[in-house]
Amino acid sequence: MDNIYISDMEGNKIDAKLIFSFHCDETSKKYIAIDYQKQVFEKNSRYSNLDILEVIKEGKNSIYVTNIKDNEWDTVKKALQYKIFASIKNPNLNTL
């Protein structure tokens, strides 16, 4: 897989790892989840420094992003919770 460069609208590179991307039907926009990979808690913590950003423009190996507008965040959050995360199946869970 090619390296993906993530930049803000001014072209400044964001030093983060792309986790996944998704489309929100309600806003008709694309978003990415990134991990800044910076230690914010104790070393034995399982928490990551994650962020969700709106995709403004895409290039061959680059993505330009911006913060999600405050008035759209609830819509994006619900899409992420109910359409993305809810559809993830864990093969290690036993179902009855």
Side-chain angles (χ1 to χ4, degrees):
M1 182 167 144
D2 294 333
N3 287 335
I4 302 293
Y5 299 99
I6 304 168
S7 301
D8 62 18
M9 285 308 298
E10 286 78 42
N12 300 312
K13 184 177 181 236
I14 297 173
D15 189 21
K17 179 182 175 184
L18 177 65
I19 304 298
F20 64 89
S21 63
F22 65 99
H23 180 268
C24 177
D25 292 333
E26 292 79 6
T27 63
S28 298
K29 296 179 181 179
K30 293 180 185 178
Y31 302 90
I32 61 170
I34 59 173
D35 180 354
Y36 287 106
Q37 299 183 314
K38 293 178 184 172
Q39 191 71 40
V40 289
F41 298 107
E42 297 83 20
K43 291 189 184 284
N44 63 348
S45 173
R46 297 186 72 194
Y47 288 97
S48 296
N49 191 3
L50 302 178
D51 201 1
I52 306 293
L53 299 169
E54 179 182 332
V55 175
I56 297 298
K57 182 174 130 182
E58 298 176 67
K60 182 177 179 186
N61 290 335
S62 58
I63 300 171
Y64 294 87
V65 295
T66 191
N67 291 326
I68 299 170
K69 294 176 186 158
D70 289 341
N71 64 340
E72 294 181 346
W73 173 240
D74 281 339
T75 302
V76 174
K77 180 175 66 171
K78 286 178 183 172
L80 190 59
Q81 287 177 291
Y82 298 113
K83 294 183 180 177
I84 306 299
F85 293 150
S87 67
I88 296 173
K89 305 272 190 251
N90 184 340
N92 296 322
L93 292 178
N94 292 329
T95 57
L96 298 175

